[in-house]
Amino acid sequence: MSPVTQAVRPTVAAPAGTARLTSGRAPGFGSHLADFGPIPSLVAEGLLEELRASGLEGRGGAAFPAWRKIEAARARGRSRGRRAVVVGNAAEGEPLSSKDLTLLRMAPHLVIDGLLGVATTLDAGSIHLYGPESALPAVARALAERPDARAIDLRPSAETFVSGEASAVVSALAGRRPVPQDRTVRLTEAGLNGRPTLVHNVETLAQIALIARFGAAWFRSVGTATDPGTRLVTVSGDVASPGVLEIAGGTRIGDLLGFAGADTAALSAVLVGGYHGAWVPAAGFSANLAREQLAPFGAAVGAGILMALDARRCPLTLASSIAGYLAGETAGQCGPCVNGLPAMAEVLHRLARGDRNAGLPAEVRRLAELVTGRGSCHHPDGTARFVLSTLTVFAEDVAAHLGGRCAKDHS
Ligand code: SF4
């Protein structure tokens, strides 16, 4: 790990425990300054070194090292003499996720601090914050509270599943359809109007604001070596207290479900990673929510989305409904996605509804393999991953359907 080049001297005590992003007492600027203190004016190298040492990865789903994207945009801007664009992305798209909306309502100034800190590091020419309509009033109020944020351009995001994909965000900011673009050049090289463009998730920016204040060592003081710090997760489904939680990186899945009030003994599985994710069966609840422990299930931490499933509910009925939704969310650009996803969802639907044709599972698998890697974005791949995981984890339910003996709740 690189040494930290600049000592961080916070003016207030760093948050203790796992409530960090969520430790503020109120969303207003006065409360924000009292709780966290002013953001220090770290020079560009200082912030990048802190971020590198912290091990912070993007919280939007791709888990790319946060510092590396900033460095790439900075290097490109310098070599081409073009000022960068910085975008805070709160377009979750995913129906199961509400962490970014919650963060913008609870702690908008942490996001703004992160956005301004990164923009300063890049000497950015423009700064944008892109998020759902429902979050904008809280953000607009926060922006109006501070003169240093006047340059931030606030833009409403589209309410579609693929709208949060980085190239779709840039497309929307350019006034075009908010759909993913077929890209051979990275956005950090040529994005909005051909300028180096950094798109960071808003939780990533808020984490940057805390690391700039309290340093990499503090960030790493919770979590694990491979998943340091805290992260926001959205827990839904068959739990008593669904909602957004801030947890230490690498928390055990069973513990996390318990925090949300789940009776883990009553669950058959939990969907990790949202509608593009994969199922972790109950036998895997002892695994940590961490890359290496989720990999055997084909799952990833992603944007921190978990949906619990009660063992009495039919997983195929639920999966069929989700696959149908995803099939309707293609951006209409790529043939395999436009035609393949509805076909795959239809076959899964037949299986869920009691069609006992023994060839249906193989047909679902064939279609899933057909669409994988064939789109301009990862929508077909993510949808196929979810469907294949359903067939694997719920193989007994598939057999029960084909045998006409599924007695689970199909509502
Ligand atoms: S793969 Fe699907 S969602 Fe992605 S760009 Fe193509 S049509 Fe749109």
Side-chain angles (χ1 to χ4, degrees):
M1 185 190 309
S2 302
V4 176
T5 58
Q6 177 168 338
V8 177
R9 298 184 188 83
T11 57
V12 302
T18 55
R20 293 178 164 187
L21 298 169
T22 55
S23 67
R25 285 166 290 186
F29 194 43
S31 177
H32 169 72
L33 290 177
D35 290 332
F36 300 107
I39 190 165
S41 54
L42 283 181
V43 293
E45 297 300 339
L47 182 58
L48 280 173
E49 280 304 312
E50 287 294 337
L51 292 180
R52 189 200 305 247
S54 74
L56 173 67
E57 294 181 342
R59 299 299 200 232
F64 201 70
W67 71 271
R68 205 183 287 272
K69 271 169 76 171
I70 301 172
E71 175 58 33
R74 194 164 72 122
R76 186 68 173 187
R78 281 178 169 174
S79 69
R80 295 299 165 101
R82 303 204 70 181
R83 296 182 75 189
V85 176
V86 177
V87 183
N89 183 13
E92 294 178 271
E94 163 73 54
L96 295 180
S97 182
S98 56
K99 74 175 181 69
D100 293 336
L101 175 63
T102 300
L103 177 65
L104 284 176
R105 287 176 173 163
M106 285 184 76
H109 288 290
L110 280 179
V111 176
I112 294 168
D113 284 349
L115 202 48
L116 293 176
V118 171
T120 301
T121 299
L122 288 174
D123 187 26
S126 65
I127 315 171
H128 308 270
L129 211 166
Y130 182 75
E133 291 273 8
S134 53
L136 298 193
V139 180
R141 268 194 305 278
L143 291 176
E145 287 184 290
R146 47 196 293 182
D148 62 343
R150 290 206 181 105
I152 296 176
D153 167 44
L154 191 56
R155 295 282 192 97
S157 59
E159 305 278 335
T160 58
F161 191 81
V162 296
S163 64
E165 199 269 346
S167 68
V169 172
V170 170
S171 185
L173 291 175
R176 299 191 296 269
R177 281 183 71 210
V179 295
Q181 305 299 299
D182 200 355
R183 300 192 59 80
T184 51
V185 178
R186 292 180 197 275
L187 291 172
T188 48
E189 295 178 16
L192 186 61
N193 301 324
R195 291 193 284 157
T197 300
L198 175 77
V199 180
H200 257 333
N201 170 261
V202 289
E203 183 191 341
T204 310
L205 292 168
Q207 296 280 14
I208 289 172
L210 292 179
I211 293 167
R213 285 176 167 87
F214 306 117
W218 167 82
F219 181 75
R220 284 185 165 278
S221 64
V222 301
T224 64
T226 54
D227 188 9
T230 64
R231 64 171 60 248
L232 298 177
V233 296
T234 313
V235 187
S236 63
D238 296 315
V239 298
S241 305
V244 175
L245 301 169
E246 184 171 12
I247 60 160
T251 295
R252 204 174 143 269
I253 291 173
D255 292 342
L256 205 168
L257 291 168
F259 298 156
D263 173 7
T264 52
L267 302 178
S268 59
V270 60
L271 180 64
V272 177
Y275 287 177
H276 276 176
W279 295 98
V280 173
F285 286 179
S286 58
N288 294 343
L289 191 75
R291 180 185 295 126
E292 61 279 7
Q293 296 200 21
L294 291 174
F297 304 103
V301 181
I305 302 164
L306 292 94
M307 182 181 70
L309 181 66
D310 190 292
R312 291 166 296 191
R313 293 178 62 195
C314 173
L316 300 186
T317 300
L318 176 62
S320 160
S321 158
I322 293 171
Y325 164 81
L326 292 172
E329 288 292 310
T330 79
Q333 303 186 114
C334 317
C337 180
V338 173
N339 301 315
L341 297 194
M344 185 169 66
E346 171 57 24
V347 180
L348 187 61
H349 183 67
R350 285 172 56 193
L351 184 60
R353 297 291 295 174
D355 186 331
R356 296 175 61 183
N357 182 333
L360 292 180
E363 179 61 2
V364 172
R365 290 184 192 280
R366 186 186 74 79
L367 289 166
E369 282 161 18
L370 202 64
V371 300
T372 298
R374 301 285 304 283
S376 290
C377 74
H378 296 303
H379 186 51
D381 306 42
T383 305
R385 179 189 310 117
F386 165 72
V387 166
L388 290 173
S389 170
T390 300
L391 294 185
T392 301
V393 170
F394 298 108
E396 287 183 13
D397 295 273
V398 171
H401 273 244
L402 293 176
R405 50 188 162 75
C406 176
K408 290 188 174 179
D409 179 0
H410 290 81
S411 59

